[in-house]
Structures are given as structure tokens and as C-alpha cells.
Amino acid sequence: MSSRDHSNEDGVTRRHFLNTSAGLATATTVGLKAGRVLAQSAPGEVTDLGVVDLVAAIRGKELSCREVMEAYLSRIDRVNPIYNAIITRQDPDALMAAADQADRSLAAGDELGALHGVPQAPKDLTATSDMPTTQGSPILKDNLPAADSVLVERTRRAGAIFVGKTNTPEFGLGSHTYNTLFGVTRNAWDPALSAGGSSGGAAVALAQRMLPVADGSDMMGSLRNPAGWNNVVGFRATQGTVPYAPSGELFMQQLGYEGPMGRTVADTAYLLSVQAGYDARAPLSRDLDPLQFRGDLSADMSGKRIGYLGDLGGYLPMEPGVLDVCEAALTYFESAGCTVEAATIDFDMATLWQTWLTLRGFLVAGNAGALYANEDTRAQLKPEAVWEVENGLKLSGADIYRASANRSAFYLAMNAMFEDYDYLVLPTAQIFPFDAEMDWPKQIAGTEMDSYHRWMEVVIPGTLSGMPVLAVPAGFGPQGDSQPMGLQIIGPRLADLSVLQIGHAYEQASGYAANRPG
């Protein structure tokens, strides 16, 4: 059997298996068996509250901002030494003083922001003017930006109190959160395993109740893979929904941008309502009403059509058990009234991978080229960053144009899929969380990985389409709660609210948001 042929032993393909009621019934049994090892719990502590409920409790004066801050700082003190999700921690006395000021504003009847008194920790890739933004690199260990990013600026304006930042791999390269400055961030469900990345610190802080909601960023699944691996939610909105600025280059960089993460879809949407909307400093940002994301996400999903992409027609190698978990989770779309069937994108996926390598190399070389050119700073770059820059420096203008044309053709192919389907679904990763001490997986199911990020190829369709992609929990693998997995839900361009609504319906049917690590 070929390493890319994922037929089962009696020759029935996964596509045919999925399209039979027996196949779905078997997949459901696998998923429920894995799910039974989990403990579901109702909120019992302040830190168990998601942001929607926490904001309501603060505004209703059921909780003071001081009580909230005390609870979160205590929780961080207890569990962060194990998981290493929050870095650059701020002075606790200053944080308590900020919480007291937030209480005084509340008592005075001042106008309150959407995150009034809510503890937050921006990802260490986004610019913060009062905390170092190291991007996980020793080169930038003392880097203090002149201004906040638009995302941070909006979060401050909404009344959040920053307790620190969340960890990321160097320059966000790679879906495994470790660096030489702060060390390894460990999976919320099993600290021996990887948290994913590059928003690994954010995902673990959420899952381990160190933050009620968190921001992240995503070029190659960085909001999606860590969400799936930590049983939380991440949303890569339509390109431009969340302004990406300031930046030295405002027009060509259209692969990576920032967005929200939460323990539930509603919490994630709530944070998006703070982050989203046009900003003139980001000329490709969208002019929209962000408050659309703050309302009730309940919607009738009866008759919605789900196209399941699985392993992209056998193209992607998958660790055994990943597809079983994801196919089991599809039944929850059916519980919400949707129909589900196997689907295939009419595009050559090997061409898409080469397109990705070209565009990513081009952008990384642009961003880190000056560090590479300097011998002293080049010596401090991790090998994967050097590899990316060197690939980018080899490119010609014709190479970049061809890749952009291929991306355009792929967008049209994806757009055509929505003539037959309302949403497309596929796994958030091709493997379950791996050993945290490993740099990156070298093979999947016997197939060698030829780069440090080839094992994350499953996220490329969402990135290169520029369409909204929501990551939701899909359950756990055959070894139980040490193997979290997620699903990506992709919708048409600009259909962000609709994607959040189908994600909410799925979440209500599955109940996975109630699962929490020990």
C-alpha cells in the first residue's frame, strides 16, 4: 500500500466509507469511546468563566475586578510553572492597582469597554509599547516597540488589563511553541506533549484557565492547530477582518494575520467584536460592523450542506486515528440538521504546496532578510528561519508572480466548492500532539516530512483561500485525553458570522466545550 493511499484493509476507500451509514456509525462509536475518559464540569471558580459570562458578572457587580484579577493571578501562579504559557509577567501589585481603578470606574458609572477589567496577555508576536515584543527571538529580547499594534490598541481601549504575554516559537515559525528565551510551552492536556503553535501559549493559557479569552495570529494554522490540540476554539477570519498593523509592508503580506481564541465559539466571537473593523493604517482591512459578532449565534442550520475534505482525497498522510476522530465528529453537524458528504477540491495539491513555499519564503525573506544579512544576528536565528530566508532569496519575480497566479486559481477552485456546499470541513492537524522535546515531526504514517512544516500541510487550503476558518474541538484519539484533535470549518469569503454560527451549532450538539483538562 502506498504511504499516501489511505484505503482500509478490504479496499474500501475513506470517501466511500464516509458516504455509508455504516461508516458514520462506526466512526461515531470510535469518537464516543475516546470521549468517555473525559471529565465534564460546570464552572466552579472565577477562572472557569468564559469572557461573555465574566463580563456579565463584572458589569452586574457579582464580581469585582479585584476579585477577578486575584483569581487569575493565583491560577497563573499555580499552573504556569508547569505549562509555561504566559511570559513577560507584569508586576502583581501594579495589576491589582489597575483592577482597583477599574472597580472605581465601575462604581462611578463611567462608560465601560467590552473587556473592562478582564485579564489579557497578548501573543508575543504582536507589538506592545509597554512590554518587550521578543517574537521568541534572543535578537529581540529587549525590543520595546514605539507603538501598540492595532489589535493591542483596541484591546486596551476595551478596558483589558495586560498580565503579560503568551509564548510563541521564534518569529512564529513552526507549529510547536518553543524558543531559547522562554523555553517550551506544554500541552494543556499532557505537559509531556507539544501545545502546537504558533499561538501555543494562548491556547494553553485558555485551556488551563489562565486567561478567559486570548488573541493569536495565523499564517500556517497558528490559530487552528493549537486550538485543536488543546480543546479550545480559534478563528482565522476573512482576510482583512482584523487589521494587521503597524507593519513595514502593508500590501504584499496577505498570508498571516491576527485573530481571537476562546473556550467557546461565543467567547471567540466576542473577542472578534473588539478586534474587527477598518483602520486606515491597514489599507486592506474591511469596513464592517464588529458588533455583529457580539449577538446570539444561534441559527437554524437545517439543510446546510457540509463538504468533508478529510485527507484531501488521500493526498495527505495522516497518523492513524486522526480521521476516525474527525469523522466521528461529523455526526454532530447532522445532529444540528446539516447533511454531510465527502468532497474533493478540483486543484492539484502538490502545486498548492509549491505555491505556499514560494509565497511564504518570499515574505519571510522580506521580514527577516536584514537579520540574515548580518552575520552576528544570522548566527542567532534558528535553522528553520535561515532555511526560509535562503529559499526566499533564491526566488525571481517570475516565481512570485506564478505563485500568486496559482493562488488565484486555487481561490477560484475553492469558491466553486461553495456552489455545492455551505461549509467545508477538514482536520486541524495530520497528527496528534507529539513529544514536547522534539523539534518537529520527521514522518507521518511512514511518509517522510521534507521540511519543518510539511506535517501541517492540512491548513494550507484555509490560508491560501483567504476565507474564514474556524477551529473547533473534534474529540480525542484512541489514547484518550492526551490526544486532542480539532476540525477546521471553512466558509465562503466574508461569511464570518455564518461560520461562527455553524461552529456554535456544532458546539452545542457535541458538548466538547465542557471538557477541560485536569
Side-chain angles (χ1 to χ4, degrees):
M1 182 183 297
S2 165
S3 61
R4 288 192 180 266
D5 179 3
H6 300 290
S7 302
N8 63 16
E9 291 181 358
D10 64 1
V12 180
T13 64
R14 280 196 175 274
R15 178 174 180 141
H16 176 74
F17 174 81
L18 183 64
N19 283 329
T20 66
S21 58
L24 284 173
T26 302
T28 303
T29 302
V30 171
L32 290 177
K33 182 177 180 181
R36 278 199 292 267
V37 305
L38 306 175
Q40 297 193 352
S41 62
E45 299 181 5
V46 171
T47 55
D48 286 326
L49 295 174
V51 73
V52 172
D53 292 334
L54 183 62
V55 167
I58 291 173
R59 287 173 177 257
K61 299 184 180 179
E62 299 169 23
L63 286 171
S64 69
C65 298
R66 166 172 274 271
E67 290 171 323
V68 170
M69 184 59 69
E70 284 179 335
Y72 271 98
L73 292 182
S74 175
R75 178 71 182 171
I76 293 168
D77 285 341
R78 289 201 307 273
V79 303
N80 197 56
I82 300 170
Y83 299 97
N84 192 36
I86 296 181
I87 57 171
T88 317
R89 290 190 58 185
Q90 299 300 283
D91 176 60
D93 291 336
L95 293 174
M96 294 308 303
D100 288 340
Q101 179 57 51
D103 280 327
R104 286 192 289 272
S105 295
L106 183 63
D110 295 344
E111 183 176 349
L112 305 180
L115 297 173
H116 184 81
V118 173
Q120 282 293 273
K123 183 177 177 180
D124 198 26
L125 292 185
T126 199
T128 47
S129 59
D130 59 349
M131 291 184 285
T133 300
T134 75
Q135 300 185 49
S137 171
I139 302 169
L140 301 177
K141 62 183 177 66
D142 298 318
N143 175 47
L144 198 63
D148 290 337
S149 67
V150 172
L151 179 144
V152 168
E153 182 181 283
R154 290 180 174 182
T155 307
R156 285 193 202 276
R157 190 186 308 142
I161 302 173
F162 292 157
V163 300
K165 302 196 79 170
T166 56
N167 202 18
T168 181
E170 185 177 25
F171 301 118
L173 298 176
S175 194
H176 178 27
T177 300
Y178 72 95
N179 58 63
T180 58
L181 274 181
F182 301 109
V184 179
T185 295
R186 298 178 178 277
N187 192 283
W189 292 78
D190 185 342
L193 302 178
S194 171
S198 61
S199 305
V204 173
L206 281 170
Q208 276 294 338
R209 276 51 182 173
M210 290 182 269
L211 294 174
V213 73
D215 67 77
S217 56
D218 185 308
M219 177 183 275
M220 193 178 183
S222 293
L223 284 164
R224 293 167 276 164
N225 172 239
W229 278 4
N230 290 280
N231 196 73
V232 296
V233 177
F235 189 46
R236 178 187 167 97
T238 295
Q239 179 181 310
T241 301
V242 178
Y244 192 72
S247 173
E249 194 285 303
L250 296 171
F251 293 95
M252 299 297 291
Q253 200 297 102
Q254 297 183 38
L255 292 182
Y257 34 91
E258 297 172 318
M261 303 183 81
R263 299 180 206 146
T264 66
V265 176
D267 284 345
T268 306
Y270 187 90
L271 184 57
L272 180 63
S273 75
V274 173
Q275 299 172 343
Y278 178 74
D279 189 289
R281 293 166 292 182
L284 301 183
S285 58
R286 294 176 57 199
D287 188 6
L288 54 82
D289 177 11
L291 294 182
Q292 65 182 286
F293 304 120
R294 204 174 294 180
D296 184 4
L297 295 176
S298 300
D300 184 6
M301 291 295 149
S302 299
K304 296 294 184 183
R305 303 158 299 172
I306 307 291
Y308 177 60
L309 299 175
D311 57 6
L312 300 179
Y315 170 76
L316 294 174
M318 292 277 180
E319 181 178 347
V322 169
L323 292 178
D324 293 327
V325 171
C326 293
E327 288 163 11
L330 297 178
T331 59
Y332 297 117
F333 291 108
E334 294 183 326
S335 298
C338 305
T339 60
V340 183
E341 64 178 67
T344 303
I345 305 170
D346 185 18
F347 196 86
D348 179 65
M349 290 299 147
T351 298
L352 193 68
W353 177 249
Q354 291 304 314
T355 297
W356 167 254
L357 289 180
T358 298
L359 294 177
R360 182 177 172 101
F362 163 62
L363 293 174
V364 174
N367 288 328
L371 298 177
Y372 176 86
N374 182 301
E375 289 186 5
D376 291 337
T377 52
R378 183 194 310 168
Q380 299 179 65
L381 293 173
K382 70 177 184 178
E384 293 81 6
V386 171
W387 179 82
E388 290 277 17
V389 172
E390 290 179 346
N391 281 346
L393 294 176
K394 296 173 186 175
L395 297 171
S396 68
D399 293 330
I400 297 164
Y401 182 85
R402 187 181 308 110
S404 185
N406 285 336
R407 184 187 183 190
S408 301
F410 175 70
Y411 169 80
L412 295 176
M414 283 285 284
N415 194 55
M417 295 289 289
F418 293 108
E419 296 174 8
D420 298 318
Y421 303 104
D422 297 294
Y423 310 98
L424 301 173
V425 172
L426 72 168
T428 55
Q430 293 162 237
I431 60 175
F432 295 110
F434 54 84
D435 188 335
E437 304 307 322
M438 184 188 299
D439 51 0
W440 48 273
K442 305 303 189 296
Q443 63 87 27
I444 298 177
T447 298
E448 296 300 317
M449 300 291 101
D450 57 7
S451 74
Y452 78 101
H453 52 12
R454 189 66 183 258
W455 61 277
M456 281 302 301
E457 194 170 357
V458 71
V459 302
I460 295 305
T463 293
L464 291 179
S465 71
M467 295 171 174
V469 192
L470 180 69
V472 292
F476 296 77
Q479 296 182 28
D481 60 4
S482 65
Q483 292 188 315
M485 183 49 59
L487 287 176
Q488 300 177 74
I489 305 173
I490 306 176
R493 178 174 165 78
L494 308 183
D496 300 80
L497 181 58
S498 177
V499 171
L500 291 166
Q501 288 171 334
I502 185 66
H504 176 72
Y506 165 89
E507 180 179 84
Q508 297 303 299
S510 70
Y512 285 144
N515 293 329
R516 59 169 294 176

